[in-house]
Amino acid sequence: MLLIECPNCGPRDETEYQYGGEAHVPYPEDPSQLSDKEWAEYLFYRNNPKGLLAERWAHTAGCRRWFNVVRDTVTYEIKAVYRIGEPQPTLGGAQ
Amino acid sequence: MAEQLLTDITALRRSPLSHLHEQMSAAGVTGDRGVALREIPFLTMVGIRVEPGTPAAEAVTAVAGMPLPTGHGQVTGTAGATAILWIGPDEFLLVGPEGVGPAEIGPAGSDLREAGTDDAGTAAGLARALGTEPGQAVDLSANRTTLELSGPCARAVLEKACHLDLHPRAFAVGTAVATTLGPVQVLLWRTAELTWRIMPRASFAEYTARWLLDAMTEFASPEVP
């Protein structure tokens, strides 16, 4: 079980959280101008790196807030936790 | 037009655990390994959403007569009377006795005292204090029920399902957190050294109570070395 540090509540079990997929996926500036392929890529295509991945988590059983986590997809180590709106911290060996 | 004959609906309401009251009092254990469970039904609960440090938060603070808690685990006020629990950075839960209103909460002459004697009156008083400021105060009294687990072994019972550190050095009296007890999302509030309030949502109350009754069973027998 992962022990994830919520920026508001501190370390809690993984089961208190919900996973929200990759973070920092920008909403298209003008979705009506996108082709079906580009729209599908925005909706469904995500990075799948072997290594560090910035992802969103929600502390649903606690403060119910979303936040970002940088997790190593190989070792499951949580490298950084930061709030929504804050820039992704630069870490060695990034994607 | 027909007159409304029944104006006091409190006679008709039924708490989520009313059918388990006898079972809960029978399951109590006394002595060194004592632990007891009871329901405290119909507490007034008001969900408050305001951004701390704004005029909206000041308005709520003035009417409630106590400051808002500032961080995780904190509670202002007292468990016996009215208290405000920290839920999230801009989310709070006011918990008061049943039918709290004129006498129990708020400074004399405040809106809250005039709002009425029922739970909805408390929420209405807070909402009126907010005025046009961004924020909300909503009556959530029926959302959760309150279980009180007490006794020297109450912590041992909770530790079977709650993964937080419940030792007094980490979880002092007057701490309340939103967490899970087994699979159930609850508010866990330590109101005294040996007394805990567990507040599950009404539809999870029966499961939580039966789970606690089961977890208490072993303490009726001598400790197995």
Side-chain angles (χ1 to χ4, degrees), chain A residues 1 6 8-13 15-16 59-65 83, chain B residues 49 71-72 86-91 163-164 177-180 185-186 201:
Chain A
M1 169 122 46
C6 167
N8 296 313
C9 306
R12 297 290 184 94
D13 281 348
T15 47
E16 290 195 7
H59 191 191
T60 39
C63 60
R64 310 198 296 177
R65 294 310 123 102
R83 290 170 193 275
Chain B
R49 296 293 300 261
H72 171 246
W86 187 93
I87 305 289
D90 60 357
E91 187 173 2
H163 292 185
L164 288 177
V177 299
T179 184
T180 51
Q185 294 184 13
V186 298
R201 296 201 169 89

Side-chain angles (χ1 to χ4, degrees), chain B residues 26-91:
Chain B
V29 181
T30 52
D32 283 353
R33 306 212 320 141
V35 56
L37 182 67
R38 70 181 180 113
E39 187 194 16
I40 311 175
F42 309 127
L43 289 186
T44 299
M45 296 184 207
V46 182
I48 300 170
R49 296 293 300 261
V50 289
E51 193 72 46
T54 60
E58 282 165 30
V60 168
T61 309
V63 168
M66 64 190 79
L68 294 173
T70 53
H72 171 246
Q74 292 187 17
V75 176
T76 56
T78 51
T82 306
I84 301 181
L85 279 59
W86 187 93
I87 305 289
D90 60 357
E91 187 173 2

Side-chain angles (χ1 to χ4, degrees), chain A:
Chain A
M1 169 122 46
L2 294 180
L3 191 66
I4 302 174
E5 176 126 358
C6 167
N8 296 313
C9 306
R12 297 290 184 94
D13 281 348
E14 172 191 359
T15 47
E16 290 195 7
Y17 296 89
Q18 257 177 356
Y19 184 62
E22 187 183 0
H24 311 298
V25 178
Y27 189 74
E29 281 195 15
D30 187 358
S32 64
Q33 297 301 310
L34 297 187
S35 67
D36 285 354
K37 183 168 185 288
E38 287 167 326
W39 181 241
E41 285 184 358
Y42 161 69
L43 286 182
F44 304 118
Y45 282 54
R46 294 290 180 268
N47 284 325
N48 185 21
K50 185 178 181 180
L52 298 184
L53 174 67
E55 50 198 26
R56 298 176 302 175
W57 288 81
H59 191 191
T60 39
C63 60
R64 310 198 296 177
R65 294 310 123 102
W66 285 92
F67 59 98
N68 297 318
V69 162
V70 179
R71 181 176 62 94
D72 191 318
T73 56
V74 180
T75 63
Y76 280 75
E77 269 178 286
I78 309 268
K79 299 287 192 181
V81 173
Y82 53 104
R83 290 170 193 275
I84 294 290
E86 289 177 1
Q88 182 179 350
T90 45
L91 297 160
Q95 357 165 5

Side-chain angles (χ1 to χ4, degrees), chain B residues 159-170:
Chain B
E159 279 169 347
K160 292 185 185 191
C162 181
H163 292 185
L164 288 177
D165 185 359
L166 302 180
H167 192 278
R169 74 175 162 249

Side-chain angles (χ1 to χ4, degrees), chain B residues 39-221:
Chain B
E39 187 194 16
I40 311 175
F42 309 127
L43 289 186
T44 299
M45 296 184 207
V46 182
I48 300 170
R49 296 293 300 261
V50 289
E51 193 72 46
T54 60
E58 282 165 30
V60 168
T61 309
V63 168
M66 64 190 79
L68 294 173
T70 53
H72 171 246
Q74 292 187 17
V75 176
T76 56
T78 51
T82 306
I84 301 181
L85 279 59
W86 187 93
I87 305 289
D90 60 357
E91 187 173 2
F92 309 91
L93 185 72
L94 182 144
V95 181
E98 177 188 353
V100 60
E104 304 293 337
I105 177 174
S110 76
D111 257 0
L112 217 52
R113 288 194 175 223
E114 291 156 19
T117 53
D118 58 347
D119 304 347
T122 310
L126 285 163
R128 194 155 52 239
L130 277 171
T132 55
E133 296 291 336
Q136 59 173 228
V138 184
D139 179 28
L140 299 178
S141 304
N143 183 25
R144 296 174 187 274
T145 190
T146 307
L147 284 156
E148 190 180 75
L149 189 71
S150 55
C153 280
R155 177 155 70 93
V157 170
L158 288 174
E159 279 169 347
K160 292 185 185 191
C162 181
H163 292 185
L164 288 177
D165 185 359
L166 302 180
H167 192 278
R169 74 175 162 249
F171 207 102
V173 172
T175 305
V177 299
T179 184
T180 51
L181 190 71
V184 181
Q185 294 184 13
V186 298
L187 297 179
L188 183 64
W189 181 9
R190 185 172 207 165
T191 53
E193 191 59 38
L194 300 177
T195 309
W196 306 74
R197 279 188 188 178
I198 301 144
M199 297 150 86
R201 296 201 169 89
S203 51
F204 292 95
E206 169 149 8
Y207 177 92
T208 311
R210 288 192 188 277
W211 190 95
L212 287 167
L213 288 172
D214 181 53
M216 286 161 62
T217 316
E218 69 164 280
F219 296 97
S221 317

